[in-house]
Amino acid sequence: MEQLIYHSPIGPLAIYSSEEAIVEIRFDGHLESEKSSSIIEQCVQQLDEYFEGKRENFELKLNPTGTDFQLRVWKELQNIPFGKTCSYSEMAIKLGDIKVIRAAGTANGKNKIPIIIPCHRVIGKDGSLVGFGGGLDRKEWLLQHEGILKGEQMKIFG
């Protein structure tokens, strides 16, 4: 497993990869050792472009591990365009069953590759910012960066 700390505008991110794919990004930004790879270097370049406002879509090979349902949710997250949001209930409907709303929310929260798999774009039905593994302050920053939030447009609920 290769790993590197990336210093982003929202704090340090620990990026992990196999030889051919990004497998995880953590907000803690702590590693025992660092060893980069070409896939991590591509990830760093694309994150730089994203944070500089020059990239809206990531073009990286990803290999998150999870249940079949989690993988379905994470794939659906990747269909939410830059600058747009989706509610948890809309996500459940896109997955084929409104009754999976809580399970979809749980799977969203277990996303191992945040930002690149844009779980920050999922909000409450009433427009509130709810739940984000990196903290609601980071979620708010990312949504403002993407032009979704302007001022006091949405409320944060913890």
Side-chain angles (χ1 to χ4, degrees):
M1 177 93 51
E2 311 302 328
Q3 49 196 3
L4 179 80
I5 296 293
Y6 173 73
H7 298 281
S8 81
I10 57 172
L13 303 173
I15 303 171
Y16 298 84
S17 78
S18 63
E19 288 183 21
E20 66 278 336
I22 298 297
V23 296
E24 189 169 1
I25 294 178
R26 293 185 193 159
F27 287 104
D28 59 19
H30 298 287
L31 297 177
E32 305 244 343
S33 65
E34 287 190 306
K35 185 175 181 199
S36 191
S37 65
S38 63
I39 187 70
I40 287 180
E41 294 305 319
Q42 290 173 27
C43 182
V44 165
Q45 178 184 350
Q46 291 188 27
L47 283 168
D48 280 344
E49 293 167 357
Y50 170 80
F51 286 117
E52 291 167 3
K54 298 175 183 173
R55 174 175 290 276
E56 295 183 357
N57 299 301
F58 292 93
E59 298 168 10
L60 297 165
K61 182 161 182 176
L62 308 177
N63 190 18
T65 55
T67 66
D68 287 344
F69 181 74
Q70 287 171 335
L71 293 172
R72 279 182 55 215
V73 170
W74 301 336
K75 186 163 184 64
E76 192 60 47
L77 289 172
Q78 293 177 72
N79 293 328
I80 305 170
F82 180 94
K84 303 289 182 190
T85 59
C86 176
S87 72
Y88 288 97
S89 57
E90 290 169 327
M91 175 68 64
I93 291 167
K94 288 179 182 184
L95 292 166
D97 185 354
I98 188 66
K99 295 176 189 166
V100 301
I101 187 170
R102 288 186 189 269
T106 299
N108 190 41
K110 294 188 180 201
N111 174 19
K112 295 184 190 245
I113 310 177
I115 303 170
I116 294 169
I117 298 177
C119 54
H120 61 279
R121 295 179 187 152
V122 181
I123 59 171
K125 188 176 183 178
D126 63 355
S128 60
L129 302 186
V130 291
F132 185 61
L136 292 177
D137 56 333
R138 287 188 179 113
K139 182 172 186 164
E140 181 179 29
W141 191 98
L142 291 165
L143 293 175
Q144 285 178 342
H145 174 69
E146 294 186 11
I148 297 167
L149 280 182
K150 294 177 178 50
E152 294 296 317
Q153 184 176 346
M154 292 185 180
K155 296 180 182 176
I156 296 177
F157 295 97

